[in-house]
Amino acid sequence: MTGNDPLSSALSGLNNAESVGHLDQTVSPASNEIGSVLEVFYDRGYIDGFSFVDDGKAGEFEVELKGAINECGPVKPRYSAGADEFEKWEKRFLPARDYGTLVVTTSHGIMSHYEAREAGIGGQVIAYVY
C-alpha cells in the first residue's frame, strides 16, 4: 500500500535501501515523474541504472544502486526558484557548495539545478540527492 505521495515513497525507499547496503530496489508504483527523477539520478552518477517493469497495473521500476547516495528526499512544499535563486536552495537542502544535486521541474522537463542554471530557466525544486 502506498501513501499519498509516490515520489516521497520512492525516494525514502531508495534512501533506506542505500543505508542498509542493498544493490537493488523496486520502486512501485511507477510514474513519469519518478522516471524523470531517476533519469537525473542516473545522469549525475548516483545510481547504476533503472528499468521499467510492466506488471499489468501501474508498473514498477527496478533500480540498480551503487552505494553513492548518502541521502535523498523530496522537497515539501514545492518551492519555486528562479534561474538565479538556486544557490539559496542549495544552502538549505545540500550539505556543501557544489556537492549534491537539486532536482527541478521546469517548463522544459525535469532536470538537475545545474542544467537549469546553465539554460537560464527556473522552476520548482522537487527533490535533492547527495
Side-chain angles (χ1 to χ4, degrees), residues 91-130:
K91 288 179 184 177
R92 181 174 288 184
F93 293 109
L94 301 178
R97 177 179 287 229
D98 295 331
Y99 183 77
T101 302
L102 296 173
V103 181
V104 182
T105 180
T106 67
S107 58
H108 298 273
I110 295 178
M111 60 183 73
S112 72
H113 75 283
Y114 297 109
E115 296 168 1
R117 183 184 296 146
E118 186 177 301
I121 54 178
Q124 288 189 325
V125 180
I126 61 170
Y128 65 91
V129 62
Y130 58 86

Side-chain angles (χ1 to χ4, degrees), residues 64-102:
E64 299 171 27
L65 304 171
K66 67 187 219 179
I69 297 175
N70 293 317
E71 187 174 338
C72 65
V75 174
K76 293 287 194 135
R78 309 281 197 238
Y79 295 108
S80 294
D84 57 345
E85 298 175 346
F86 288 122
E87 189 168 335
K88 172 177 133 182
W89 301 109
E90 281 182 80
K91 288 179 184 177
R92 181 174 288 184
F93 293 109
L94 301 178
R97 177 179 287 229
D98 295 331
Y99 183 77
T101 302
L102 296 173

Side-chain angles (χ1 to χ4, degrees), residues 1-12:
M1 179 161 202
T2 62
N4 291 333
D5 187 8
L7 178 62
S8 179
S9 298
L11 294 178
S12 67

Side-chain angles (χ1 to χ4, degrees), residues 39-80:
E39 186 70 35
V40 171
F41 283 15
Y42 177 74
D43 290 343
R44 301 296 300 171
Y46 290 103
I47 60 175
D48 276 336
F50 66 97
S51 61
F52 176 74
V53 178
D54 187 10
D55 63 356
K57 301 175 201 156
E60 59 189 22
F61 288 110
E62 293 288 331
V63 182
E64 299 171 27
L65 304 171
K66 67 187 219 179
I69 297 175
N70 293 317
E71 187 174 338
C72 65
V75 174
K76 293 287 194 135
R78 309 281 197 238
Y79 295 108
S80 294

